[in-house]
Amino acid sequence: MRNEHAVQPFLAPIASLMPRIVAANFTHEILGRDWMIQNVVAGIPAAEGLNAPPRSEWGSFFAQLGTIARQVHDVTGPHFGPVEAPWFSCWSEAVVTLFQNTAADLEDAGLDARDVRDVTAAAEKHRAVLDEATEPKLLSGDLWTIH
């Protein structure tokens, strides 16, 4: 949620496609947790709209989604990693740290993290390949349609 709030200035070119943040509070003084209120964007939720036409007609929806994703991914930034923090000087640091933290979270919850540890080792071994990405770009991990 804090990243979503922090990224707003970077998304100004597509602000009309996104909900506007009406209020946000990260102090935990009001509700005891982070919270954010956004306006409702006009349109039909994807889960509703995609159930109406046959699957063969979904192409235009996903073409639009792809166009929006391209606009998001064209946004550059000053560092690698989450917009809010932590920041990294190279892509491999951001990726390896993400996997290490994910594995630690799984293990803290008493879950098996072996495959995430394997992916972490692969990322560490191939840092040079990851670091071929030299310009930080905004990546959306939130493009889903509830299908």
Side-chain angles (χ1 to χ4, degrees), residues 28-78:
H28 296 203
E29 291 176 7
I30 297 171
L31 294 177
R33 65 183 58 186
D34 291 352
W35 60 269
M36 192 164 57
I37 299 171
Q38 297 174 303
N39 72 328
V40 176
V41 176
I44 300 169
E48 234 176 83
L50 288 176
N51 285 329
R55 192 176 195 99
S56 61
E57 295 176 20
W58 290 6
S60 64
F61 170 82
F62 285 104
Q64 274 186 319
L65 190 60
T67 298
I68 294 166
R70 167 62 21 218
Q71 289 176 291
V72 170
H73 297 165
D74 282 343
V75 174
T76 60

Side-chain angles (χ1 to χ4, degrees), residues 131-144:
D131 289 335
E132 288 177 13
T134 58
E135 184 177 35
K137 298 268 189 165
L138 188 59
L139 301 177
S140 175
D142 199 14
L143 299 174
W144 53 279

Side-chain angles (χ1 to χ4, degrees), residues 76-107:
T76 60
H79 54 265
F80 291 97
V83 175
E84 178 69 16
W87 300 331
F88 302 94
S89 61
C90 61
W91 182 231
S92 65
E93 287 180 42
V95 171
V96 168
T97 300
L98 172 69
F99 290 144
Q100 288 171 335
N101 291 343
T102 300
D105 289 345
L106 288 167
E107 291 165 351

